[in-house]
Amino acid sequence: MVYRILADLVVIFHLVFIVFSLLGGLLVIWRGYLLLFHIPAALWVAVISFKGWICPLTPLENRLRHLAGGEGYSGGFVEHYLIPIIYPVGLRIDVQVVLGVVAVGINIAIYLLVYYCYMNRRAG
C-alpha cells in the first residue's frame, strides 16, 4: 500500500511539474524569484521533449508500482485521470518534438507578458 501511495504521489508531482514548466512563468509576475526555478524546469521539459528522453520520474513510478505488487493502473483517480495526460497512448518522438515546440512557444509568450508587466511597473 505504501508503494502505491508513493507511486501516486510521483504521478501527481510529475503532473504539477509539467504544468509548472508550461505556465510557471506566470508566477514570475507575482514573485520574481520563481524565475530561478521556472527557467530550469522549462528547459528540462524542452530538452526531454526534443531529445526523446524519458523523464526520470517515469522509471521511479514504474519501480514503485512494481514494488507495490504490480497493481498497475487499475482503479483510482490518479490512474484513471492523470496517467493518460502524462503518458498519452502512442507518444512518438515526432509528437514529443511538437510538444516541445509548443512548450517553448508557451513560455516565450509568457515571458513576453512578464517583460511587459515588468516594464509597466518600472515606468509607472
Side-chain angles (χ1 to χ4, degrees), residues 20-34:
F20 176 71
S21 27
L22 287 176
L23 304 174
L26 294 172
L27 295 174
V28 173
I29 296 170
W30 175 57
R31 296 286 186 248
Y33 68 87
L34 289 173

Side-chain angles (χ1 to χ4, degrees), residues 94-113:
D94 57 333
V95 175
Q96 272 187 276
V97 169
V98 169
L99 292 174
V101 169
V102 168
V104 169
I106 288 170
N107 278 293
I108 288 171
I110 287 172
Y111 276 102
L112 287 172
L113 176 66

Side-chain angles (χ1 to χ4, degrees), residues 3 64-72:
Y3 290 119
L64 290 169
R65 293 213 183 276
H66 176 75
L67 291 171
E71 294 176 13

Side-chain angles (χ1 to χ4, degrees), residues 39-111:
I39 293 291
L43 289 172
W44 175 254
V45 166
V47 168
I48 289 285
S49 296
F50 292 138
K51 293 285 191 174
W53 295 344
I54 293 178
C55 178
L57 293 174
T58 303
L60 173 62
E61 180 213 346
N62 289 336
R63 178 73 179 137
L64 290 169
R65 293 213 183 276
H66 176 75
L67 291 171
E71 294 176 13
Y73 297 118
S74 61
F77 174 83
V78 170
E79 293 85 5
H80 187 70
Y81 294 104
L82 298 183
I83 296 293
I85 294 170
I86 297 172
Y87 308 112
V89 175
L91 183 62
R92 303 178 321 262
I93 184 66
D94 57 333
V95 175
Q96 272 187 276
V97 169
V98 169
L99 292 174
V101 169
V102 168
V104 169
I106 288 170
N107 278 293
I108 288 171
I110 287 172
Y111 276 102

